[in-house]
Every structure is written in structure tokens, then in C-alpha cells.
Amino acid sequence: MTLPDRERVLGPDHPDTLITRNNIAFWTGECGDAAGALRLFTALLPDRERVLGPDHPDTLATRGNIAAWTGRCGDAAGALRLFTALLPDRERVLGPGHPNTLTTKGSIASWAAQIRHGSGDEPDQPLLPGLGRLADEAVAAGDTAAAVSYCEQMVARAEEAFGPGDIRLTGYLRRAASTLAAANRDAQAMETLTRAITINDRYGAETAEAVTDLRNLAGLQQRNGLHSEARQNLDRARDIEARHSRVAR
């Protein structure tokens, strides 16, 4: 049933109508429109507060989504402020050990770290387009050694700019791993993805990219006969998706 049908049949304040609006906001963001997602979640919040109450888990989930999309729209300080305000309410309503409470703590740590390591004069993306393109061209030409060299240079330049453990490094590691896998350098690709996952874990990052890292590593592990390790990483990816599916309700 579409949103207009639910509004007509159930009414605009029915909980199922509000869930439909929530899902539209969620998928708007997942399709790449961060500003649209933030706008829709922000519009949903007062209605959930009015209909369900400020302490309802779905209302708290909407606040979490507003905080998350605030950050993904480029306002790290705003995201940190909103997650910090949300945490005591989730601890009070859900309990300190609830998965959503723990996710909120992880988000606070992640955004605080990004603010701590970031600055107003953050360097441009260091040579990602140029070195990434050269690496891809080397793979297409069958020059594996050159492809590996370009990937190593790309990651090294990112390390120089951001530091070896910065969350922003994961994008470069992810890019390098993709090229290394295409060049049939699976061992190096797995090592590179493992490093990205370690950084994700340190920041408590449970983004779509973090899930992709786990799934891509699992695919390489399966291809190389590491079936037990692959299952563990697929289970981790499913756990993250399940937690965020509950948050998105």
C-alpha cells in the first residue's frame, strides 16, 4: 500500500502510515539523497512525538536517523550534538545494553573522532582520481605490478594526509582492494579490506560501506577456500543490517 492510500484508508496519524513515511525517508537516503532523507525524517519527528510520545522507541529511532543524516550531510558537529542528546533518553527507555543504545554510543565515538581528526582546511582527496584511474588502466593492460604500485601510492598518500588509523582512510583502502582483486591479487586485497574493517570497528562505524567491506572480504575468502572466515564476516554484515533495520522501523 502506498503512502497516499495509507493516509486515505488509515489516516495520517496511524502508526502504519508513520512507518511508511519512515521507510520513504530511509530509502531516500540509501538512494543517495542525504538532504532529502534529513528533510523527511525531520518532518516525521513532530508527528511521531505527538502520536506515539517522545519516549516511544520509534520516536527515538527517528531522532537517531536525524542525527545520522545530519552528519552525512556534512555537519559532524551537529550529528555529535544530536547523538549526545539522544543517548540518555535511549539509556533510560531502552536500557544501557540495548543494541540501539550501543549503536548510539558508537555513533558518538565515531563523530567525535572525525571532528577531532578533521579541520577546516582538510586536504583535498589526495590523488584518488588520478592514481585510481592509473591502477585501473594497468589492470586492463595486464600490468599487475604497476596496478599494485599505484594502489600502494594511493594508500600511502592518504596515510600522509589523514594518518594511518583515520576513518577517512577506509575509502582509499576500499578502492585499492577493489583494484587488487580485479588484478587477481586476492591476498593483498584481503589484507587491505581487513585493515579497512579494523578501522571501521575502532570507530564503531556501521555504515553501508562497512557492510560492503565485510561482504567483499567474505567473497574473496570464499574464492580462496576460507569458508569459515567468510561465514563469520557474512554473519557480522547481517547483524549490522538487522540492527539498522530495527532502527529504521
Side-chain angles (χ1 to χ4, degrees), residues 64 67-68 76 79-84 86 90 100-114 203-207 244:
L80 178 60
R81 175 178 53 79
L82 291 170
F83 275 121
T84 300
L86 174 62
R90 275 193 157 159
N100 290 353
T101 304
L102 298 178
T103 296
T104 303
K105 289 182 178 179
S107 297
I108 290 170
S110 177
W111 287 111
Q114 290 196 41
Y203 278 80
E206 294 193 341
T207 61
H244 285 270

Side-chain angles (χ1 to χ4, degrees), residues 6-7 10-18 21 47-48 50-52:
R6 279 201 155 152
E7 289 178 326
L10 302 176
D13 289 344
H14 192 281
D16 288 351
T17 303
L18 299 180
R21 288 175 59 191
D47 292 333
R48 274 193 155 165
R50 177 174 51 80
V51 175
L52 303 175

Side-chain angles (χ1 to χ4, degrees), residues 7-176:
E7 289 178 326
R8 176 175 53 82
V9 175
L10 302 176
D13 289 344
H14 192 281
D16 288 351
T17 303
L18 299 180
I19 287 173
T20 300
R21 288 175 59 191
N22 177 88
N23 290 338
I24 291 171
F26 176 79
W27 287 110
T28 295
E30 289 300 302
C31 287
D33 185 0
L38 178 58
R39 175 178 54 79
L40 292 170
F41 277 121
T42 300
L44 175 62
L45 180 59
D47 292 333
R48 274 193 155 165
E49 288 178 327
R50 177 174 51 80
V51 175
L52 303 175
D55 287 344
H56 192 282
D58 287 354
T59 304
L60 299 179
T62 302
R63 288 175 59 190
N65 280 312
I66 290 171
W69 288 109
T70 294
R72 292 177 72 171
C73 284
D75 184 2
L80 178 60
R81 175 178 53 79
L82 291 170
F83 275 121
T84 300
L86 174 62
L87 179 59
D89 292 332
R90 275 193 157 159
E91 288 178 325
R92 175 174 52 82
V93 174
L94 303 176
H98 191 279
N100 290 353
T101 304
L102 298 178
T103 296
T104 303
K105 289 182 178 179
S107 297
I108 290 170
S110 177
W111 287 111
Q114 290 196 41
I115 292 169
R116 186 167 59 250
H117 291 291
S119 66
D121 57 350
E122 179 176 304
D124 293 334
Q125 299 291 306
L127 297 183
L128 175 59
L131 288 172
R133 184 178 63 254
L134 289 171
D136 290 340
E137 291 173 353
V139 171
D143 190 348
T144 301
V148 171
S149 177
Y150 288 131
C151 287
E152 291 174 345
Q153 292 177 54
M154 180 173 60
V155 172
R157 289 299 299 270
E159 287 178 327
E160 291 174 4
F162 303 132
D166 193 281
I167 189 68
R168 289 166 291 183
L169 184 62
T170 58
Y172 300 90
L173 294 168
R174 191 174 299 122
R175 179 70 167 81

Side-chain angles (χ1 to χ4, degrees), residues 165 167 170 173 191-205 213-214 217 236:
I167 189 68
T170 58
L173 294 168
E191 181 181 352
T192 303
L193 277 175
T194 298
R195 186 176 173 194
I197 290 166
T198 299
I199 295 173
N200 288 334
D201 291 344
R202 187 180 304 131
Y203 278 80
D213 291 340
L214 288 164
L217 178 57
R236 286 193 60 196

